[in-house]
Amino acid sequence: AQSVSQHNHHVILSEAASLELGCNYSYGGTVNLFWYVQYPGQHLQLLLKYFSGDPLVKGIKGFEAEFIKSKFSFNLRKPSVQWSDTAEYFCAVNEDNAGNMLTFGGGTRLMVKP
Amino acid sequence: DAGVTQSPTHLIKTRGQQVTLRCSPKSGHDTVSWYQQALGQGPQFIFQYYEEEERQRGNFPDRFSGHQFPNYSSELNVNALLLGDSALYLCASSLFSVRQDTQYFGPGTRLTVL
């Protein structure tokens, strides 16, 4: 069974710092990749997704992620974080021939200090 | 446009009891997936319903069962509750005909088993 690893469980940054959250998956076939965000008190929301094409994907709120197939990675980046980015971030993977079942990583809790 | 709704918000049960959780999908969606999110972990896929049938199932015991109604709403039933079933239960909806359609998540039901 495939698995998804998010290496950083907790990240603390100051406003305007750059962000990179790591995500690696184990499945060797074709995958679709997602980043979801959960703001305090809110439900999971989609930040961005990759299905095919340009491996650099841009999402909402200035976030982007790069799919590196050779490294089985899909890292999330933002050049300058804001206090409002404080949230928990989840990477998720879907095998291309497995319906739309998502396998999630354990999440990274980001705190941005004003 | 109503999003995914879930009820109840919170629930407290004792070991051995049975529980039913409910989900109404986003307007226009016909597929419902259920996930279990234990504290400090990412969501884990339980199963997915489309056309009132279970289409995919994750690694959960038969104590977990579900149902989908003609109006696309869904129920998750858990029998013989264990302490380890304490978690946030998330419902997600999507459109079956759209390959790899984005899943929209509800706010969840927090189940506590004492």
Side-chain angles (χ1 to χ4, degrees):
Chain A
Q2 68 168 293
S3 64
V4 179
S5 298
Q6 293 183 240
H7 316 295
N8 313 101
H9 298 291
H10 291 90
V11 173
I12 301 174
L13 294 173
S14 298
E15 275 195 315
S18 64
L19 170 72
E20 181 160 3
L21 301 182
C23 172
N24 287 88
Y25 62 94
S26 63
Y27 184 65
T30 302
V31 294
N32 304 298
L33 300 154
F34 306 79
W35 276 96
Y36 278 84
V37 61
Q38 190 166 31
Y39 297 104
Q42 297 187 28
H43 55 272
L44 275 171
Q45 301 171 41
L46 182 69
L47 261 184
L48 49 79
K49 60 185 179 183
Y50 171 81
F51 286 173
S52 63
D54 188 344
L56 184 61
V57 179
K58 295 195 183 298
I60 60 171
K61 303 186 181 186
F63 286 91
E64 65 178 30
E66 185 176 13
F67 171 47
I68 304 180
K69 189 174 182 179
S70 61
K71 295 185 178 181
F72 299 91
S73 71
F74 190 56
N75 292 355
L76 181 70
R77 299 194 293 248
K78 185 171 184 178
S80 175
V81 295
Q82 300 173 315
W83 175 79
S84 58
D85 293 325
T86 294
E88 188 155 21
Y89 293 81
F90 293 94
C91 179
V93 174
N94 159 251
E95 296 173 34
D96 198 51
N97 62 352
N100 63 353
M101 178 187 90
L102 294 173
T103 300
F104 282 86
T108 297
R109 194 174 292 273
L110 171 67
M111 179 185 294
V112 180
K113 297 192 288 187
Chain B
D1 181 16
V4 179
T5 59
Q6 293 185 242
S7 63
T9 306
H10 295 87
L11 206 50
I12 299 175
K13 292 285 189 178
T14 56
R15 281 179 297 175
Q17 285 190 310
Q18 178 264 344
V19 69
T20 298
L21 311 182
R22 295 175 177 83
C23 170
S24 290
K26 183 177 175 0
S27 178
H29 285 179
D30 56 10
T31 302
V32 173
S33 301
W34 287 92
Y35 291 79
Q36 180 196 66
Q37 186 177 13
L39 200 61
Q41 297 181 25
Q44 278 194 288
F45 177 78
I46 303 175
F47 43 53
Q48 181 182 83
Y49 275 83
Y50 170 66
E51 288 189 329
E52 303 178 47
E53 289 186 8
E54 183 182 293
R55 298 290 175 156
Q56 283 184 285
R57 188 177 184 94
N59 189 24
F60 279 81
D62 292 345
R63 298 187 298 109
F64 290 76
S65 63
H67 188 76
Q68 186 179 34
F69 299 94
N71 67 353
Y72 309 121
S73 67
S74 176
E75 287 182 350
L76 164 66
N77 301 292
V78 187
N79 295 322
L81 284 167
L82 304 174
L83 295 180
D85 295 331
S86 294
L88 181 68
Y89 288 84
L90 298 170
C91 170
S93 74
S94 56
L95 190 59
F96 193 83
S97 61
V98 176
R99 187 170 170 271
Q100 310 302 348
D101 191 29
T102 297
Q103 294 191 52
Y104 290 82
F105 284 82
T109 293
R110 172 78 59 189
L111 172 65
T112 302
V113 182
L114 303 176

